Amino acid sequence: MDCFYEAGNEDSILITLVTKAEFDELTNSSLDNVATWILSSNRSIQVGNHYLVPDAVGKLNQVVVIVDDNLSIWTIAGLPFSLPTGNYFLADTIPLEDREKLITGWGLGSYQFSKYKKKKGKDSARLSLDSDIDQTSVLAIIDSTCIVRDLINEPPNEMMPQHLSKATQELASKFDASFTEIVGDELIEDNYPLIHAIGRASEHQPRLLKLEWGDPKHPLLCVAGKGVCFDSGGLDIKSASGMRWMKKDMGGAAHALGLANYIMQTNLPVRLQVAIPAVENAISNNAYRPGDVIVSRSGISVEIDNTDAEGRLVLADAISELCDLKPDLLIDYATLTGAARVALGTEVGVFFSELDKTSHGLYSSAKASEDDIWRLPIHQGYKHQLKSNIADLVNCASSGYGGAITAALFLQAFVSDDCDWVHFDVMAYNMRSRPGRPKGGEAMGLRSVCQYLETRYSRK
Ligand code: BES
Ligand code: ZN
Ligand code: ZN
C-alpha cells in the first residue's frame, strides 16, 4: 500500500479534527485565521465536511475536518481520494486509539482496483504512519482486506481454481507456510467426492487447496472458505441478474486467505490449517444433476435437489476433513445463500455459532472494529427440511424461508459435535460506495475475527 509515509517530512500537511460544538465555540470567542478562512469559504459547517486552509502565500497548510463526538474508523476514510495528492499527518492531540482507527480507515479508503483500466485513477494522498501506533496489526488489517478485495474483484476468467491455487501458493511462500493441493481426479482417489462432483463440469479442474503454518505446539485454528470461482447455478441455471455478480462466489476463499495473511503477518500464536475447495459451478454434459446422490467424504449421502446450492456441498468435504484434526476453533466463510442477504441486506454479515461465549467474544470485537455482523440461530427445528427419501440429506430445503439457517444446518451435519465452529455467510461485495468501502469486493466479518483471535489467543 502506497498510502502511508514515514513521519519526519517537512512538507506534510496537518489534519485537525474539530467537532461542530468546538467550532461554534471557537467562532463565538476569538476568531483565529483558520476559523476566519473556513467561515469565509461560505460552506455550511457540518459533520463530514473538510476545509482546505492555505497559509499566507496561498499554499495548502492545514485540513480541518468537522467530526462527530465519537470518532469512527470511517471518519477520514473518504479523504485519500478527495484531498490533493500529497503528504498529511494527524494532529497528535488525537488519542492514540482513535488515531489507530483513523489510520486504518485511511488505508482502507486508499484502495482502488484499476488493474484493467487504461486510464488509472489518481494516486491517493499519503498519511504519516505514526510510530506510536500498533503498526503491525493496523497494516495487517489493511493488507488482509486488500487481499480479499483484490481476489474478489478479479474477473472470473482470471480467477478460476488454478488462479486461486496460485494466489494461495504465493501467500504460503511469502510466510514460509506449506502448500499442498489435490487436483481433478485425485479428488476421487483421495475421497473428496462432493468437491469433484461439483467442479468436474468445468474445463478448469476442481481443486482442494491447503495451507498450513505455525508451531504445532500452539492451538489449532482451522479456516475454510467457499471457493466457487463462478456460480452459474449449474444445470439449475441462474437468471441473468442472479448470475451477474457470481464471480464473487469465491469470496469465502478470499476471506480465508485474507485471514491467513493477518495471522501470519502478525505471527499469531496458533497452528493454522486452511482448506479451500476451489471449483467452477459450470454446465456441461458431465455436470452433476438434480436427483443425483453423492456419498460425501464423511460417509453422509446427499441427494441433490438443486445444483445451485453447491457451496455447502464443496464446503462439506473440506469441513469434515478439518474436524478430523480436532481444531481448537473452526471458522468458515462463504457467500452461501441469497437468503442471508434477504434477512440482513448486503451490508451486514451473518454468522452462526452454537457457543454463546464465542459469539459474545465476536460481538465485542465486531463493535470495537466497526465490522457489521449479526448472529442468526442454527435452529434445529428446521432440520426436517433437509430430509431425503432416498439419502441421508438433501442439499437444499424445499422452502426458501430461513434459507441461511437451513444451509447452516446442512453444514453442521459435517461438523463434529464438540467442535467450536463459526460459520460466516457474507455478501463479500459492496453494491455501493461508502467512505473506505468502495464498490466491489469486500471483507465482511474479517476485522471482527482478527480482533477476536487476538483476544482468544491472548495477546491483547
Ligand atoms: N452463491 C449463491 C448464494 C448467493 C447469492 C450469495 C447471491 C450472495 C448473493 C449460492 O450458491 C446459491 O445460489 N444459493 C441459492 C440456494 C438455493 C438454491 C437453495 C440461493 O441462495 O438462492
Ligand atoms: Zn449457487
Ligand atoms: Zn454459490
Side-chain angles (χ1 to χ4, degrees):
M1 276 261 105
D2 194 29
C3 58
F4 296 118
Y5 71 94
E6 305 285 335
N9 185 317
E10 296 278 293
D11 281 334
S12 52
I13 299 148
L14 171 68
I15 298 179
T16 34
L17 310 183
V18 185
T19 64
K20 182 139 182 357
E22 282 168 346
F23 188 82
D24 290 344
E25 201 177 305
L26 191 74
T27 48
N28 285 338
S29 50
S30 59
L31 273 184
D32 65 6
N33 289 349
V34 173
T36 310
W37 195 90
I38 290 175
L39 286 175
S40 72
S41 75
N42 245 346
R43 284 173 57 212
S44 65
I45 306 300
Q46 65 186 50
V47 173
N49 277 2
H50 67 270
Y51 306 85
L52 305 181
V53 184
D55 63 13
V57 292
K59 195 168 146 251
L60 178 57
N61 177 248
Q62 190 183 149
V63 178
V64 177
V65 189
I66 309 292
V67 297
D68 254 335
D69 287 341
N70 296 319
L71 294 182
S72 152
I73 181 174
W74 311 121
T75 298
I76 59 163
L79 291 186
F81 287 113
S82 45
L83 292 179
T85 320
N87 290 340
Y88 296 81
F89 66 99
L90 289 173
D92 58 10
T93 47
I94 304 169
L96 181 70
E97 211 177 295
D98 285 333
R99 259 186 296 130
E100 276 182 8
K101 271 193 211 174
L102 297 168
I103 292 171
T104 306
W106 181 282
L108 297 175
S110 306
Y111 177 86
Q112 58 183 338
F113 187 74
S114 53
K115 188 171 167 188
Y116 297 99
K117 280 183 181 256
K118 213 174 249 160
K119 196 166 167 280
K120 307 285 176 210
K122 70 166 186 166
D123 287 342
S124 68
R126 284 151 48 103
L127 187 65
S128 163
L129 192 55
D130 299 349
S131 54
D132 55 348
I133 64 158
D134 179 357
Q135 288 194 8
T136 311
S137 67
V138 166
L139 291 178
I141 283 289
I142 296 166
D143 290 349
S144 307
T145 307
C146 293
I147 286 172
V148 176
R149 291 173 175 177
D150 275 345
L151 288 168
I152 298 171
N153 285 332
E154 201 60 58
N157 54 324
E158 297 295 334
M159 193 41 73
M160 281 291 128
Q162 66 275 21
H163 304 105
L164 207 45
S165 161
K166 189 162 170 262
T168 310
Q169 277 179 63
E170 283 169 2
L171 184 68
S173 67
K174 184 168 173 202
F175 293 103
D176 259 331
S178 88
F179 170 83
T180 51
E181 66 179 335
I182 301 160
V183 186
D185 288 345
E186 288 169 9
L187 289 164
I188 299 277
E189 288 148 36
D190 293 354
N191 193 24
Y192 300 95
L194 288 170
I195 302 176
H196 183 270
I198 282 76
R200 72 183 180 217
S202 170
E203 63 174 332
H204 306 282
Q205 294 193 73
R207 293 163 190 253
L208 177 61
L209 314 172
K210 294 183 189 178
L211 179 151
E212 213 177 320
W213 174 89
D215 187 338
K217 290 202 263 332
H218 288 150
L220 178 64
L221 169 64
C222 288
V223 183
K226 170 178 171 182
V228 175
C229 293
F230 188 75
D231 183 9
S232 69
L235 291 175
D236 289 305
I237 190 169
K238 285 182 182 291
S239 65
S241 64
M243 205 187 296
R244 176 62 184 92
W245 299 108
M246 282 303 129
K247 69 169 185 177
K248 75 173 176 74
D249 216 20
M250 36 58 70
H255 279 71
L257 292 179
L259 181 58
N261 180 78
Y262 180 87
I263 289 166
M264 298 190 290
Q265 194 167 326
T266 59
N267 210 6
L268 198 80
V270 293
R271 171 75 171 169
L272 173 66
Q273 173 77 59
V274 179
I276 295 173
V279 301
E280 181 188 9
N281 189 17
I283 298 171
S284 164
N285 63 323
N286 69 339
Y288 81 125
R289 322 161 186 83
D292 281 355
V293 172
I294 305 164
V295 181
S296 67
R297 178 179 185 82
S298 73
I300 296 172
S301 61
V302 184
E303 182 183 8
I304 306 304
D305 176 77
N306 191 316
T307 60
D308 197 11
E310 82 298 336
R312 61 196 77 181
L313 296 169
V314 294
L315 275 175
D317 275 353
I319 282 178
S320 47
E321 180 177 30
L322 291 175
C323 279
D324 290 344
L325 305 173
K326 304 215 171 313
D328 179 62
L329 176 64
L330 166 63
I331 302 174
D332 80 77
Y333 285 99
T335 50
L336 204 61
T337 66
R341 313 287 64 86
V342 174
L344 299 188
T346 58
E347 293 172 5
V348 178
V350 171
F351 78 97
F352 295 87
S353 162
E354 289 286 18
L355 297 185
D356 289 345
K357 191 167 176 233
T358 306
S359 302
H360 294 160
L362 274 170
Y363 265 138
S364 57
S365 312
K367 191 162 183 235
S369 61
E370 296 178 64
D371 190 18
D372 300 318
I373 57 171
W374 200 253
R375 183 187 186 189
L376 288 184
I378 313 177
H379 181 60
Q380 300 298 323
Y382 293 157
K383 222 169 156 181
H384 67 276
Q385 296 187 37
L386 295 174
K387 278 196 183 129
S388 156
N389 280 337
I390 61 164
D392 298 325
L393 288 175
V394 278
N395 77 325
C396 95
S398 42
S399 123
Y401 291 125
I405 296 176
T406 48
L409 281 167
F410 181 89
L411 289 181
Q412 194 176 38
F414 299 86
V415 174
S416 329
D417 289 344
D418 57 352
C419 180
D420 188 352
W421 167 58
V422 181
H423 160 53
F424 278 94
D425 190 340
V426 293
M427 181 66 176
Y429 212 83
N430 291 323
M431 303 305 284
R432 61 169 180 148
S433 287
R434 286 172 291 168
R437 290 148 292 178
K439 218 180 246 189
E442 185 59 288
M444 297 179 172
L446 182 70
R447 289 194 305 281
S448 314
V449 168
C450 293
Q451 192 150 330
Y452 173 67
L453 295 179
E454 292 281 356
T455 325
R456 178 164 174 140
Y457 298 109
S458 79
R459 248 188 348 206
K460 279 189 178 162

